[in-house]
mmCIF file of all heavy atoms in Angstrom:
data_model
loop_
_atom_site.group_PDB
_atom_site.id
_atom_site.type_symbol
_atom_site.label_atom_id
_atom_site.label_comp_id
_atom_site.label_asym_id
_atom_site.label_seq_id
_atom_site.Cartn_x
_atom_site.Cartn_y
_atom_site.Cartn_z
ATOM 1 N N GLN A 162 93.279 104.288 78.814
ATOM 2 C CA GLN A 162 93.915 104.432 80.120
ATOM 3 C C GLN A 162 94.636 103.080 80.498
ATOM 4 O O GLN A 162 94.919 102.909 81.687
ATOM 5 C CB GLN A 162 92.850 104.743 81.220
ATOM 6 C CG GLN A 162 92.138 106.007 80.961
ATOM 7 C CD GLN A 162 92.998 107.275 81.030
ATOM 8 O OE1 GLN A 162 94.084 107.212 81.835
ATOM 9 N NE2 GLN A 162 92.669 108.322 80.384
ATOM 10 N N THR A 163 94.936 102.303 79.584
ATOM 11 C CA THR A 163 95.572 100.966 79.830
ATOM 12 C C THR A 163 96.870 101.142 80.656
ATOM 13 O O THR A 163 97.117 100.403 81.630
ATOM 14 C CB THR A 163 95.851 100.270 78.539
ATOM 15 O OG1 THR A 163 94.559 99.949 77.929
ATOM 16 C CG2 THR A 163 96.485 98.824 78.833
ATOM 17 N N LYS A 164 97.671 102.084 80.182
ATOM 18 C CA LYS A 164 98.996 102.282 80.837
ATOM 19 C C LYS A 164 98.809 102.630 82.356
ATOM 20 O O LYS A 164 99.541 102.190 83.176
ATOM 21 C CB LYS A 164 99.775 103.400 80.206
ATOM 22 C CG LYS A 164 101.242 103.541 80.654
ATOM 23 C CD LYS A 164 102.009 104.514 79.901
ATOM 24 C CE LYS A 164 103.428 104.619 80.398
ATOM 25 N NZ LYS A 164 104.238 105.605 79.588
ATOM 26 N N LEU A 165 97.804 103.486 82.631
ATOM 27 C CA LEU A 165 97.560 103.849 83.969
ATOM 28 C C LEU A 165 97.190 102.750 84.875
ATOM 29 O O LEU A 165 97.589 102.498 85.993
ATOM 30 C CB LEU A 165 96.398 104.934 83.940
ATOM 31 C CG LEU A 165 96.020 105.539 85.315
ATOM 32 C CD1 LEU A 165 95.506 106.952 85.034
ATOM 33 C CD2 LEU A 165 95.045 104.782 86.051
ATOM 34 N N VAL A 166 96.353 101.714 84.276
ATOM 35 C CA VAL A 166 96.017 100.568 85.042
ATOM 36 C C VAL A 166 97.166 99.686 85.278
ATOM 37 O O VAL A 166 97.334 99.140 86.460
ATOM 38 C CB VAL A 166 94.871 99.749 84.299
ATOM 39 C CG1 VAL A 166 94.448 98.626 85.110
ATOM 40 C CG2 VAL A 166 93.622 100.633 83.989
ATOM 41 N N PHE A 167 98.015 99.578 84.322
ATOM 42 C CA PHE A 167 99.260 98.797 84.523
ATOM 43 C C PHE A 167 100.156 99.439 85.616
ATOM 44 O O PHE A 167 100.816 98.652 86.440
ATOM 45 C CB PHE A 167 100.041 98.620 83.280
ATOM 46 C CG PHE A 167 99.625 97.448 82.443
ATOM 47 C CD1 PHE A 167 98.725 97.596 81.420
ATOM 48 C CD2 PHE A 167 100.119 96.165 82.806
ATOM 49 C CE1 PHE A 167 98.314 96.454 80.738
ATOM 50 C CE2 PHE A 167 99.688 95.084 82.005
ATOM 51 C CZ PHE A 167 98.765 95.184 81.033
ATOM 52 N N ASN A 168 100.131 100.716 85.755
ATOM 53 C CA ASN A 168 100.828 101.345 86.927
ATOM 54 C C ASN A 168 100.214 100.969 88.157
ATOM 55 O O ASN A 168 100.858 100.780 89.179
ATOM 56 C CB ASN A 168 100.771 102.840 86.652
ATOM 57 C CG ASN A 168 101.725 103.328 85.518
ATOM 58 O OD1 ASN A 168 102.698 102.685 85.255
ATOM 59 N ND2 ASN A 168 101.467 104.482 84.986
ATOM 60 N N LEU A 169 98.897 100.874 88.251
ATOM 61 C CA LEU A 169 98.198 100.464 89.453
ATOM 62 C C LEU A 169 98.540 99.000 89.799
ATOM 63 O O LEU A 169 98.404 98.641 90.991
ATOM 64 C CB LEU A 169 96.706 100.652 89.274
ATOM 65 C CG LEU A 169 96.164 102.178 89.267
ATOM 66 C CD1 LEU A 169 94.668 102.162 89.036
ATOM 67 C CD2 LEU A 169 96.508 102.790 90.601
ATOM 68 N N LEU A 170 98.871 98.208 88.816
ATOM 69 C CA LEU A 170 99.254 96.858 89.068
ATOM 70 C C LEU A 170 100.582 96.805 89.843
ATOM 71 O O LEU A 170 100.822 95.752 90.483
ATOM 72 C CB LEU A 170 99.385 96.167 87.724
ATOM 73 C CG LEU A 170 99.479 94.591 87.724
ATOM 74 C CD1 LEU A 170 98.213 94.050 88.265
ATOM 75 C CD2 LEU A 170 99.752 94.058 86.327
ATOM 76 N N LEU A 171 101.311 97.901 89.898
ATOM 77 C CA LEU A 171 102.571 97.972 90.589
ATOM 78 C C LEU A 171 102.351 98.667 91.942
ATOM 79 O O LEU A 171 103.276 98.990 92.657
ATOM 80 C CB LEU A 171 103.628 98.786 89.797
ATOM 81 C CG LEU A 171 104.011 98.106 88.424
ATOM 82 C CD1 LEU A 171 104.976 98.919 87.728
ATOM 83 C CD2 LEU A 171 104.524 96.662 88.648
ATOM 84 N N ASP A 172 101.144 98.930 92.337
ATOM 85 C CA ASP A 172 100.765 99.620 93.520
ATOM 86 C C ASP A 172 101.314 98.786 94.813
ATOM 87 O O ASP A 172 101.452 97.579 94.704
ATOM 88 C CB ASP A 172 99.254 99.825 93.657
ATOM 89 C CG ASP A 172 98.869 100.868 94.646
ATOM 90 O OD1 ASP A 172 98.801 100.577 95.828
ATOM 91 O OD2 ASP A 172 98.677 102.003 94.231
ATOM 92 N N ASN A 173 101.540 99.484 95.884
ATOM 93 C CA ASN A 173 101.970 98.889 97.003
ATOM 94 C C ASN A 173 100.873 98.168 97.792
ATOM 95 O O ASN A 173 101.129 97.345 98.738
ATOM 96 C CB ASN A 173 102.702 99.863 97.982
ATOM 97 C CG ASN A 173 104.060 100.314 97.390
ATOM 98 O OD1 ASN A 173 104.697 99.411 96.864
ATOM 99 N ND2 ASN A 173 104.425 101.549 97.644
ATOM 100 N N ASP A 174 99.620 98.424 97.450
ATOM 101 C CA ASP A 174 98.431 97.888 98.115
ATOM 102 C C ASP A 174 97.843 96.624 97.471
ATOM 103 O O ASP A 174 97.595 96.727 96.193
ATOM 104 C CB ASP A 174 97.333 98.951 98.351
ATOM 105 C CG ASP A 174 96.241 98.446 99.228
ATOM 106 O OD1 ASP A 174 96.375 98.586 100.539
ATOM 107 O OD2 ASP A 174 95.247 97.824 98.760
ATOM 108 N N PHE A 175 97.670 95.590 98.196
ATOM 109 C CA PHE A 175 97.089 94.339 97.669
ATOM 110 C C PHE A 175 95.732 94.548 97.006
ATOM 111 O O PHE A 175 95.508 94.013 95.829
ATOM 112 C CB PHE A 175 96.998 93.374 98.829
ATOM 113 C CG PHE A 175 96.291 92.124 98.553
ATOM 114 C CD1 PHE A 175 96.940 91.064 97.917
ATOM 115 C CD2 PHE A 175 94.942 91.932 98.944
ATOM 116 C CE1 PHE A 175 96.282 89.896 97.696
ATOM 117 C CE2 PHE A 175 94.240 90.691 98.645
ATOM 118 C CZ PHE A 175 94.977 89.727 97.963
ATOM 119 N N GLU A 176 94.892 95.253 97.612
ATOM 120 C CA GLU A 176 93.506 95.476 96.990
ATOM 121 C C GLU A 176 93.562 96.214 95.716
ATOM 122 O O GLU A 176 92.819 95.938 94.770
ATOM 123 C CB GLU A 176 92.628 96.235 98.017
ATOM 124 C CG GLU A 176 92.407 95.478 99.338
ATOM 125 C CD GLU A 176 90.985 94.880 99.392
ATOM 126 O OE1 GLU A 176 90.083 95.328 98.694
ATOM 127 O OE2 GLU A 176 90.857 93.802 100.070
ATOM 128 N N VAL A 177 94.423 97.196 95.656
ATOM 129 C CA VAL A 177 94.499 97.994 94.378
ATOM 130 C C VAL A 177 95.027 97.137 93.256
ATOM 131 O O VAL A 177 94.523 97.155 92.168
ATOM 132 C CB VAL A 177 95.468 99.214 94.594
ATOM 133 C CG1 VAL A 177 95.611 99.916 93.298
ATOM 134 C CG2 VAL A 177 94.872 100.100 95.701
ATOM 135 N N ARG A 178 96.107 96.304 93.541
ATOM 136 C CA ARG A 178 96.686 95.407 92.588
ATOM 137 C C ARG A 178 95.696 94.343 92.088
ATOM 138 O O ARG A 178 95.546 94.164 90.885
ATOM 139 C CB ARG A 178 97.926 94.659 93.138
ATOM 140 C CG ARG A 178 99.088 95.548 93.448
ATOM 141 C CD ARG A 178 100.351 94.768 93.621
ATOM 142 N NE ARG A 178 100.241 93.780 94.579
ATOM 143 C CZ ARG A 178 100.573 94.006 95.922
ATOM 144 N NH1 ARG A 178 101.013 95.252 96.256
ATOM 145 N NH2 ARG A 178 100.537 93.080 96.839
ATOM 146 N N ASN A 179 94.845 93.807 92.989
ATOM 147 C CA ASN A 179 93.769 92.853 92.659
ATOM 148 C C ASN A 179 92.809 93.527 91.711
ATOM 149 O O ASN A 179 92.366 92.806 90.696
ATOM 150 C CB ASN A 179 93.138 92.368 93.891
ATOM 151 C CG ASN A 179 93.743 91.054 94.396
ATOM 152 O OD1 ASN A 179 94.722 90.523 93.847
ATOM 153 N ND2 ASN A 179 93.093 90.446 95.366
ATOM 154 N N GLU A 180 92.353 94.741 91.964
ATOM 155 C CA GLU A 180 91.374 95.378 91.094
ATOM 156 C C GLU A 180 92.016 95.701 89.775
ATOM 157 O O GLU A 180 91.277 95.547 88.645
ATOM 158 C CB GLU A 180 90.861 96.597 91.817
ATOM 159 C CG GLU A 180 89.528 97.165 91.188
ATOM 160 C CD GLU A 180 88.395 96.234 91.370
ATOM 161 O OE1 GLU A 180 88.035 95.896 92.465
ATOM 162 O OE2 GLU A 180 87.886 95.780 90.260
ATOM 163 N N ALA A 181 93.205 96.079 89.760
ATOM 164 C CA ALA A 181 93.855 96.380 88.454
ATOM 165 C C ALA A 181 93.992 95.136 87.642
ATOM 166 O O ALA A 181 93.826 95.135 86.423
ATOM 167 C CB ALA A 181 95.287 97.033 88.738
ATOM 168 N N MET A 182 94.346 94.045 88.301
ATOM 169 C CA MET A 182 94.512 92.718 87.672
ATOM 170 C C MET A 182 93.220 92.339 86.994
ATOM 171 O O MET A 182 93.152 91.910 85.843
ATOM 172 C CB MET A 182 94.983 91.685 88.636
ATOM 173 C CG MET A 182 94.902 90.271 88.059
ATOM 174 S SD MET A 182 96.364 89.856 87.080
ATOM 175 C CE MET A 182 97.403 89.000 88.263
ATOM 176 N N ASN A 183 92.096 92.486 87.752
ATOM 177 C CA ASN A 183 90.735 92.137 87.199
ATOM 178 C C ASN A 183 90.355 92.949 86.003
ATOM 179 O O ASN A 183 89.831 92.472 85.010
ATOM 180 C CB ASN A 183 89.699 92.282 88.411
ATOM 181 C CG ASN A 183 88.385 91.762 87.925
ATOM 182 O OD1 ASN A 183 88.262 90.753 87.222
ATOM 183 N ND2 ASN A 183 87.313 92.442 88.355
ATOM 184 N N THR A 184 90.706 94.234 86.077
ATOM 185 C CA THR A 184 90.414 95.160 84.982
ATOM 186 C C THR A 184 91.202 94.722 83.741
ATOM 187 O O THR A 184 90.590 94.732 82.635
ATOM 188 C CB THR A 184 90.731 96.622 85.347
ATOM 189 O OG1 THR A 184 89.730 97.093 86.235
ATOM 190 C CG2 THR A 184 90.717 97.486 84.124
ATOM 191 N N ILE A 185 92.464 94.459 83.947
ATOM 192 C CA ILE A 185 93.315 94.081 82.779
ATOM 193 C C ILE A 185 92.902 92.803 82.153
ATOM 194 O O ILE A 185 92.754 92.711 80.931
ATOM 195 C CB ILE A 185 94.784 94.135 83.243
ATOM 196 C CG1 ILE A 185 95.337 95.420 83.655
ATOM 197 C CG2 ILE A 185 95.605 93.396 82.121
ATOM 198 C CD1 ILE A 185 96.606 95.432 84.435
ATOM 199 N N ILE A 186 92.716 91.761 82.985
ATOM 200 C CA ILE A 186 92.401 90.442 82.470
ATOM 201 C C ILE A 186 90.956 90.336 81.867
ATOM 202 O O ILE A 186 90.783 89.732 80.754
ATOM 203 C CB ILE A 186 92.691 89.391 83.521
ATOM 204 C CG1 ILE A 186 94.027 89.301 83.901
ATOM 205 C CG2 ILE A 186 92.243 88.039 83.028
ATOM 206 C CD1 ILE A 186 95.056 88.829 82.880
ATOM 207 N N ASN A 187 89.982 90.915 82.616
ATOM 208 C CA ASN A 187 88.628 90.528 82.344
ATOM 209 C C ASN A 187 87.772 91.656 81.654
ATOM 210 O O ASN A 187 86.665 91.449 81.225
ATOM 211 C CB ASN A 187 87.926 90.094 83.591
ATOM 212 C CG ASN A 187 88.574 88.894 84.220
ATOM 213 O OD1 ASN A 187 88.843 87.946 83.498
ATOM 214 N ND2 ASN A 187 88.717 88.899 85.559
#
Side-chain angles (χ1 to χ4, degrees):
Q162 299 296 334
T163 299
K164 186 174 181 180
L165 187 150
V166 182
F167 272 95
N168 287 336
L169 289 175
L170 196 61
L171 301 178
D172 197 277
N173 289 326
D174 187 88
F175 172 80
E176 295 257 334
V177 178
R178 293 197 301 271
N179 265 4
E180 197 62 61
M182 170 80 96
N183 188 38
T184 287
I185 292 165
I186 296 294
N187 300 318

